[in-house]
Amino acid sequence: MENIMFNPDWKVRIAGEENEYPATVPGSVYNDFLAAGRIEDPYWRDNEDAALKLMGKDFVYTGKFSFDGEKDAADADEILLRFNGLDTLADISLNGQNLGSADNMHRIWEYRVKELLKQGENEIKIIFHSPTKFIAEEFEKDPAILGTEDAMRGFPKIRKGHYMFGWDWGPRLPDAGIWKDVELLKIRKARFASTYIHQDFNEDMSKVSLSVKSGIIIENKGASNNEADKYREMTVTEDLGFIVKVTVIAPDGSVLFDRADGSERLTIDNPKLWWPNGFGEHPLYTVKIELFENEFSTDANTTAAESFSKSIDVMEKRIGLRKLEISTEKDRYGAEFAQVINGVKFFAMGADYIPEDNILPRCNPERTRKLLSDCVAANFNSIRVWGGGLYPADYFFDICDELGLVVWQDFMFACANYRLTRHFEENILTELKEQIRRLSHHASLGLWCGNNEMEMFVDQGTWGAKNEIKSDYVKMYEYLFPRLLEEEDPDRFYWPASPSTGGGFDYPNDPDRGDVHYWEVWHGNKPFTEYRQFYFRYLSEFGFQSFPSMRTIEKFTEPEDRNVFSYIMEKHQRNAAANGKIMNYMEQTFLYPNSLDTLVYASQLLQAEAIRYGVEHFRRNRGRCMGTVYWQLNDCWPVASWSSIDYYGRWKALHYYAKRFFAPVMVSCEEEGLLTQSLNVNAEPFDVKKSIRLNVTNETMSEKTGVVFWQLRDATGKALEAHEEEIKVGALSAEWLEKIDLPQAGLYENYVSFEFRMTPGEEPISSGTVLFCAPKHFRFKDPGLKVTVNGDEITVSAAAFAKSVEIRNEDDDLILSDNFFDLNAGSKTVKILSGNALNIKVRSVFDIR
């Protein structure tokens, strides 16, 4: 199969109107109408409303192209017109002949067109029907099928990224258009439908055998475009007249196997193993799989030598040699949920990923590489692709393979009920099959998950989930999906839902089994200390909101909008109670901010401290707890949300905190003080317990020996007491030090600093501080922060204790080696990793007033 040079001149118009506009493919209606000046930026102020109204119309795309049959089709048995992504409800025709209809943006749509192509000019025409009208009509027909109230009614009825219809962090911008490449493909004899590479290691993983299973579609001249003719797939066997040859190239470029027999097992000695970030390298092998006619070809005039002169189809994949599993073994607490790489159980550290934009043509490999590289910079080893968005592009997984990020991949079902009609079943199973085949070779793909939160919600009867819906739920996620995976990706772990204990509505958010989504801190208004009441086995969602940078806020507001309770600010805050919730937590923690700029800073510190409080607790209990994946990594538009990196790529305080609390070796403190007892200043006087208990967590595969230093200090940063203790921490473990009572510490005047050093005199590899009261009541001294810049280094000095020191430039786009750090008086120097050092400003918690 080969690509025919093909570059149609695409145009788009509103159905019923004459004015046409140039269209970009891949692209979208919003993208093309913005380029044409037909609409204004949907992200500015409340322009979203007008952009949503536009989606009540139908749109017509036409693409004219030239075709030379003598040149391009002379030796073709068939020509396919392949649409790799249509969003979403589309009728497709070529030269006035109807090809078919599409109704799933997650699928490929392809059509046999050899007999329909003309010499010279040809025209593709696609009519995209209104997604908002469709879901409204479907909701009227079947109002029992409901989902999250943050999205538009009827959204579960269309196989389209659910988030496009709104979420509690995203706008209602259900775009349309040709969102992926369109290809014209020449087929000779047959083509690959699938290739699956199985890895079989010996016990000590010193050898691995690769076996390749291939499925082909043999072209039947005169076949129609119906589903049966499109997908008549067979496993390659010699008696079909075709053979497969496999070439394997090592990471260093050396050829290990050159067109080896694809029916044989290919053994690699001493394979270079693929490891997640923080555990080793991520070497990738290239596997080239070619399809040939063999000597049993039905063409009597073709010799075997001629058959092997050129492949008739080829697939090339990069793979990592590794064994990646999930352990759900029972233990004394319940049952663990731990990722296992090459026999090693590792603690998952990462965040939940959502689509990077609502206007999809703005997504590209460079932007995604930057985002995922920022994850690695913050010591992530895992990332969860949430089920209400889109299956990521190939380049997303290529980058994760290269960076060592293990991907938890949800299928695209989230927070909604679905009715399992015959058509819906066929549609989603085709969707899953295509996505599994596209992605299953990736080293980074850790597991498949059936859906986001539906086992929990269906079990509770949420959104009207009656018995019929429960029955359909079980059929989909606990029968159809695992059965399909047994055929298409038998080597990979499947988990029916997130959260789940393994299915069957068996207490799906059990803290002692499976994975958990925990939202009592935030949605439940519980204090940060509540995390310490639990020892979740794997926490795949938990989060806390903050406002984005002031420079980001300025991108969607006028000056008069810049109040968190203004109409525009609330339009860019999709969780109805969130701004008030932020203020509620703020009054418990900080003095009242004197400006929006200060409020933004304080909100980001709140978010960072909340997630730090949880992650450090769970890492201290490593072994029982084996994963913390916070909600959420990124934004799809400029908004107040749970993200640690905002829409424009600016790091919030949380991302810098993540770099510290996901550090491979980390020291942390379980303190007792007013936060763990009572923050009520008018409570009847009582003896407040003040204590610390330090812990060193080692998420590496080697033992660590060093010294823990801690000091009791006053508000000037002066050490009143200083202590140290040697400690040895085994590989992949956490080690506690003894609890230390501190009755002599002043509640509002003293704090404790601590650090872990491998070698005396060197910089600490991890450090922190704890207060015994809320920051608003601590008697901070003015630290008199000063800043100097020397090349790519910035030095901050303080005359007193400075908590959560932020360094920022004019555009607030600096990325530094460290930021939002504590300074025990003295100075600290950080590196500029990106951005410029113009108009540097610094501030600390002292300035929240």
Side-chain angles (χ1 to χ4, degrees), residues 563-579:
N563 181 300
V564 295
F565 298 116
S566 74
Y567 176 75
I568 296 301
M569 288 291 284
E570 290 189 345
K571 287 290 284 185
H572 287 253
Q573 165 57 277
R574 305 314 282 243
N575 183 248
N579 286 356

Side-chain angles (χ1 to χ4, degrees), residues 158 190 217 250 410 428-429 441 493 514 524 649 701 712-713 842 845:
I158 186 171
I217 297 173
D410 283 0
I428 60 174
L429 288 180
H441 68 280
F493 184 83
M701 293 196 289
L712 180 66
R713 297 178 182 268
V842 291
V845 171

Side-chain angles (χ1 to χ4, degrees), residues 79-90:
I79 294 177
L80 292 180
L81 178 60
R82 175 180 288 173
F83 300 92
N84 288 298
L86 296 172
D87 180 14
T88 293
L89 305 170

Side-chain angles (χ1 to χ4, degrees), residues 27-45:
S28 76
V29 169
Y30 284 151
N31 193 62
D32 293 333
F33 277 47
L34 273 166
R38 179 68 191 262
I39 63 171
E40 296 183 5
D41 179 7
Y43 298 167
W44 172 249
R45 302 194 82 217

Side-chain angles (χ1 to χ4, degrees), residues 472-540:
D472 285 350
Y473 175 93
V474 173
K475 290 174 189 173
M476 285 173 61
Y477 305 110
E478 299 183 18
Y479 177 67
L480 292 173
F481 291 9
R483 187 175 68 170
L484 178 64
L485 282 162
E486 285 175 6
E487 299 171 0
E488 298 292 338
D489 193 8
D491 296 340
R492 193 159 274 106
F493 184 83
Y494 172 71
W495 195 239
S498 180
S500 182
T501 56
F505 303 117
D506 181 18
Y507 191 16
N509 213 18
D510 189 336
D512 297 317
R513 296 177 296 153
D515 74 307
V516 165
H517 292 189
Y518 181 74
W519 285 102
E520 287 304 300
V521 176
W522 179 255
H523 287 307
N525 296 308
K526 293 290 180 68
F528 303 165
T529 51
E530 194 72 8
Y531 288 121
R532 294 184 184 173
Q533 306 303 311
F534 300 95
Y535 302 87
F536 302 123
R537 314 315 301 270
Y538 189 109
L539 190 53
S540 50

Side-chain angles (χ1 to χ4, degrees), residues 514-662:
D515 74 307
V516 165
H517 292 189
Y518 181 74
W519 285 102
E520 287 304 300
V521 176
W522 179 255
H523 287 307
N525 296 308
K526 293 290 180 68
F528 303 165
T529 51
E530 194 72 8
Y531 288 121
R532 294 184 184 173
Q533 306 303 311
F534 300 95
Y535 302 87
F536 302 123
R537 314 315 301 270
Y538 189 109
L539 190 53
S540 50
E541 265 195 36
F542 67 116
F544 199 97
Q545 272 208 15
S546 70
F547 296 107
S549 157
M550 276 301 298
R551 290 292 179 260
T552 294
I553 290 171
E554 289 165 4
K555 289 281 191 178
F556 64 83
T557 59
E558 295 282 12
E560 61 266 28
D561 302 324
R562 292 167 195 161
N563 181 300
V564 295
F565 298 116
S566 74
Y567 176 75
I568 296 301
M569 288 291 284
E570 290 189 345
K571 287 290 284 185
H572 287 253
Q573 165 57 277
R574 305 314 282 243
N575 183 248
N579 286 356
K581 203 176 290 287
I582 290 171
M583 298 308 294
N584 174 49
Y585 277 100
M586 192 168 295
E587 69 88 12
Q588 298 173 43
T589 310
F590 296 121
L591 296 176
Y592 195 83
N594 59 10
S595 67
L596 178 59
D597 183 44
T598 306
L599 175 62
V600 166
Y601 168 62
S603 79
Q604 292 194 13
L605 294 185
L606 274 176
Q607 177 191 36
E609 288 291 338
I611 304 306
R612 178 195 65 80
Y613 215 90
V615 172
E616 289 184 351
H617 165 70
F618 297 120
R619 287 196 65 188
R620 288 194 290 264
N621 289 280
R622 188 205 188 280
R624 186 172 180 180
C625 308
M626 287 303 290
T628 51
V629 178
Y630 65 76
W631 185 272
Q632 66 203 68
L633 171 63
N634 59 307
D635 288 325
C636 62
W637 75 315
V639 66
S641 79
W642 294 268
S643 70
S644 62
I645 299 177
D646 77 18
Y647 175 74
Y648 294 104
R650 294 184 171 101
W651 287 27
K652 296 180 180 178
L654 172 56
H655 211 73
Y656 284 102
Y657 272 52
K659 185 176 182 179
R660 296 195 286 269
F661 61 59
F662 283 156

Side-chain angles (χ1 to χ4, degrees), residues 100-118:
S101 298
D103 62 355
N104 187 333
M105 79 175 294
H106 306 302
R107 282 181 56 182
I108 293 168
W109 301 91
E110 60 181 33
Y111 304 96
R112 290 179 166 88
V113 297
K114 183 180 179 183
E115 302 304 319
L116 299 178
L117 289 165
K118 302 186 301 186

Side-chain angles (χ1 to χ4, degrees), residues 8-11 61-65 122-125:
D9 179 23
W10 291 100
K11 306 287 186 185
Y61 276 79
T62 55
K64 293 182 179 180
F65 64 97
N122 293 259
E123 183 181 67
I124 301 168
K125 181 179 180 181

